[in-house]
Amino acid sequence: MKELYNESLIWLQQYPELYTLTALTVLLLAAWVGNFIVKRILVRGLYRALKSTPIGRNQLVYDSRVISRLANIVPALIITGGINLIPNLPKVVVTVTQNVCSAFIVLSIALAISGILTIINSLYERRPNAHLKPIKGYIQVIKILLFAVAAILMIASLIDRSPLILLSGLGAMAAVLMLIFQDTLLSLVASVQISSSDMVRVGDWIEMPQLNADGDVIDIALHTVKVQNWDKTITTIPTKRLITDPFKNWRGMQESGGRRIKRSLYLDQTSVRFLSPDEIARLQNFLLLGQYLSNKKSELESWNGQLAEAANEPANTRRVTNLGTFRAYVEHYLRQHQGIHQGMTQLVRQLQPTAEGLPLELYCFTSTVAWGPYEAIQSDIFDHLLAILPEFGLRVFQAPSGADMRELKGHLSPTSLN
């Protein structure tokens, strides 16, 4: 066998071009065999071994392709070491091949490290409190630095120069680099400020009308923050805009456990009047008003008793009004309502009268922050109040509609119309 090899070698040396071509073919075949052994045998065997461990059960390990990218280094190393053994090959070809392989090795290592960083970020996001301190922005900064260093090493390998020569020239390019990466630098500063001051977290409900953003934060990256609006559209906000522009974060409401109701009933002011004794007696049967009217009766009798003969004139006395009684009813109704948070502010107040009526505002907080239950509680409260208003002799203000005008016309006689 050895004699056959020596005879074949002597014969090939008589034909330099064929000798060089044969040696190249053998080298490429060796690189292919090395790649086949590593990827088809070693890598697959490693994956199978990892499946029995907690790390191997994580799909991220396979999706990131860290191991397969590291396996790409093997054929490059074979070519780098074997190219020197190729006879009659010009030196420049050997140098270029080695430089390209070195650059490829650097790129493969950089991609593998990037995959590891992606795995670290994904594993961190699975922690229960990961949304409080997201690290995705920092991971992206590390990746930028990683690929910047990789680019310098790759260029140095391709031109066969020391990386220090390229680094020494970066000082003169600092201004250019600052101009090119100004958005990245601003976003990095913004990310640090957002994280350190805890301005925004993943899962927060933020509202930014100037950018048509109103929904939950689903991702915080180096350059952008993604907000899923309530209509399921996605708004992408530059990270730096969260520092320079105002926005509303509803996290405080969500953490407090109560969501505010601030809504008014507009009452017809002409329906406000004093209650008659019969009406007071009827309203005193209401469970929510019995104690209030009893206390009010004692208070008014004590007050009016001091007026002596002046009390004969009703205008001089204090009397119970239907609006005041209704306001007291609403206050007691809110205090016993299970959907209202009893540890937060509750107000029932009159606002400045307007052309649309007298606003009676309810200011309170529900015991839930979920949107659906919140709207249901608010609607139930106002359903009840609108329905019970006539019991107090009050009317809701409403501008006349076409049906009102037709009904009025039907009640008018032909003579009055003329």
Side-chain angles (χ1 to χ4, degrees), residues 255-307:
E255 292 178 348
S256 69
R259 187 168 178 179
R260 186 183 69 176
I261 295 176
K262 185 181 180 184
R263 183 171 164 184
S264 297
L265 280 171
Y266 285 84
L267 304 178
D268 189 342
Q269 298 176 79
T270 61
S271 65
V272 179
R273 57 179 175 79
F274 294 111
L275 291 175
S276 66
D278 293 339
E279 289 174 323
I280 294 174
R282 180 176 60 83
L283 292 175
Q284 203 159 8
N285 293 325
F286 287 23
L287 291 177
L288 298 179
L289 289 177
Q291 189 62 42
Y292 165 77
L293 289 175
S294 297
N295 295 339
K296 198 69 175 177
K297 181 179 179 181
S298 301
E299 177 188 342
L300 296 182
E301 287 178 351
S302 175
W303 172 272
N304 296 332
Q306 299 176 8
L307 297 178

